[in-house]
Amino acid sequence: MSHEYYMQRCFELALKGLGRVAPNPMVGAVLVHEGRIIGEGYHQRFGGPHAEVVAMRSVKLEDVHLIPDANMYVSLEPCSHFGKTPPCADMLIEKRVKRVVVANTDPNPMVAGRGIKKLRDAGIEVIDGMLEAEGLFLNRRFFTFHQQKRPYIILKWAQSADGFFTKDNHQQHWITGDLSRRLVHRWRAEEQAILVGYRTVLADNPELTVRHWEPQHHPLRIVLDRDNTLPMDSKVFNEEAPTLLLSAKHRPDLPVQQLIGPWKDGLPAQLFHILHERNIQSIIIEGGVATLQAFIALELWDEARVFTGVTHFASGIAAPILPVIPTATETIGPDRLDTYYKP
């Protein structure tokens, strides 16, 4: 099999860590001896062993002697520093693997090519840039965070068949079917934070949890309420998940953390600084229209997932408009799901 084949397997394994390893990247590793996989693994949870270690541990006793003549395929450069676990580059040197094939160099300043250099200095052949574009897409959250100093931003909304976000009265009307709503809960479990504006809280009183998906990894709920006027009994203020309220005014009666600061262009001026400080590498923006449109107008988005239902409203609040055409379209029950990527 080719190098590309085994790297694709690394990507498949890495994806199993989605929603469980952040703020670490998703990483898969495959150990191959003469065309046979003798070990493989992936980074399963934040703080747990890295993919290379898991792959090494999976090698059967009768195959251990093959390791010095094997290739280690890994979707991201092996780490070279002590963090929650020892450096993977050191472990590969100790095991004396024959060759290491890497998709991407780690953008984290603590690694940033040092792992590859350490391997090469130890006499291990390194092939880097294998399926580089696919690796960048796999870890687009991680790369965006380190390279742009902000989280990867996913916009999400549902619109009626005739293009309306909601009816004129702003009251909640289900647009999508059960399958689409369950899919949204899975998406929430895959990201670190979810953000809504105060109008969405007033109109829908959402919980913003993943109660319809397992495992229930609730993201941080972020609520934008410039004037700090939301009712205290709003569900986003309950104890089901952590909530961060961003406002221009402080209220001593709210049972959640509040960060007060200036606003600009309809968004808190310190929003991305706050998220970067908290190691938030991905966030879903779920509404409402004004909040979504603010992110679009400022070109602060990376991906958009838009459901279109079969219901017609005839009139109402128009859904946001994206300046690009969808990259992919699929059917979820009775609904259409369009996925967009910012050029």
Side-chain angles (χ1 to χ4, degrees):
M1 296 294 181
S2 66
H3 289 323
E4 290 84 356
Y5 175 86
Y6 295 114
M7 190 56 69
Q8 287 287 2
R9 178 58 182 162
C10 288
F11 296 157
E12 291 173 5
L13 291 166
L15 269 173
K16 295 182 178 183
L18 180 59
R20 297 175 174 86
V21 301
N24 283 351
M26 295 176 284
V27 183
V30 177
L31 191 63
V32 180
H33 179 266
E34 294 185 354
R36 181 169 69 90
I37 294 176
I38 61 173
E40 63 178 25
Y42 66 98
H43 187 32
Q44 299 176 13
R45 60 177 178 81
F46 179 67
H50 288 187
E52 301 95 318
V53 174
V54 178
M56 280 291 181
R57 289 176 180 174
S58 74
V59 177
K60 294 179 180 179
L61 187 60
E62 61 266 29
D63 288 333
V64 169
H65 72 284
L66 301 175
I67 292 174
D69 195 38
N71 292 342
M72 172 64 82
Y73 295 84
V74 59
S75 55
L76 190 69
E77 173 186 7
C79 63
S80 57
H81 66 289
F82 281 88
K84 290 185 176 295
T85 61
C88 290
D90 289 359
M91 183 268 295
L92 294 175
I93 293 169
E94 179 187 341
K95 298 291 186 180
R96 300 304 306 170
V97 296
K98 176 182 177 182
R99 181 184 294 115
V100 177
V101 184
V102 176
N104 302 110
T105 301
D106 193 327
N108 187 333
M110 291 189 293
V111 185
R114 293 184 182 90
I116 290 174
K117 183 179 185 302
K118 183 178 281 192
L119 292 168
R120 285 176 172 157
D121 287 348
I124 296 175
E125 180 187 356
V126 179
I127 300 174
D128 58 348
M130 183 60 56
L131 298 184
E132 183 177 15
E134 290 90 334
L136 288 171
F137 183 77
L138 169 74
N139 274 311
R140 55 196 184 278
R141 298 161 179 83
F142 185 73
F143 280 94
T144 297
F145 179 81
H146 284 285
Q147 293 174 344
Q148 300 188 41
K149 309 303 179 187
R150 65 164 176 82
Y152 186 83
I153 302 170
I154 302 170
L155 308 181
K156 192 280 297 180
W157 73 84
Q159 60 191 24
S160 66
D162 47 357
F164 292 102
F165 187 84
T166 187
K167 293 189 174 181
D168 291 307
N169 58 12
H170 288 280
Q171 293 303 305
Q172 184 186 57
H173 299 274
W174 286 116
I175 295 175
T176 57
D178 290 341
L179 281 176
S180 295
R181 292 197 287 272
R182 182 169 170 78
L183 178 58
V184 168
H185 281 239
R186 191 192 86 182
W187 289 344
R188 291 174 180 174
E190 293 172 349
E191 313 304 336
Q192 288 183 270
I194 178 171
L195 182 148
V196 295
Y198 80 100
R199 286 190 184 276
T200 295
V201 177
L202 285 175
D204 302 343
N205 196 18
E207 290 190 56
L208 303 182
T209 62
V210 295
R211 60 194 178 277
H212 297 315
W213 189 258
E214 295 290 343
Q216 292 193 348
H217 168 68
H218 299 301
L220 172 68
R221 301 179 294 198
I222 300 175
V223 178
L224 306 184
D225 184 12
R226 179 161 43 189
D227 297 324
N228 217 335
T229 57
L230 285 172
M232 196 169 150
D233 60 355
S234 300
K235 291 179 181 177
V236 291
F237 297 146
N238 64 26
E239 297 180 353
E240 294 299 313
T243 297
L244 177 64
L245 177 72
L246 300 185
S247 181
K249 300 177 182 178
H250 185 265
R251 269 173 63 188
D253 61 325
L254 287 180
V256 297
Q257 184 178 6
Q258 302 174 59
L259 290 179
I260 312 304
W263 287 55
K264 182 181 179 181
D265 298 321
L267 297 174
Q270 80 276 36
L271 175 61
F272 293 126
H273 175 71
I274 291 168
L275 297 180
H276 193 266
E277 276 192 334
R278 290 170 176 251
N279 260 342
I280 300 296
Q281 297 190 356
S282 63
I283 186 169
I284 299 181
I285 315 298
E286 290 208 14
V289 171
T291 299
L292 289 162
Q293 204 63 62
F295 279 91
I296 294 171
L298 294 170
E299 298 187 345
L300 289 172
W301 66 282
D302 300 289
E303 182 176 339
R305 302 167 182 175
V306 181
F307 290 105
T308 301
V310 296
T311 303
H312 288 75
F313 284 175
S315 64
I317 309 300
I321 298 175
L322 291 165
V324 293
I325 61 173
T327 304
T329 298
E330 58 186 304
T331 300
I332 309 294
D335 309 317
R336 186 182 81 234
L337 171 61
D338 292 313
T339 302
Y340 302 77
Y341 294 99
K342 184 168 170 281

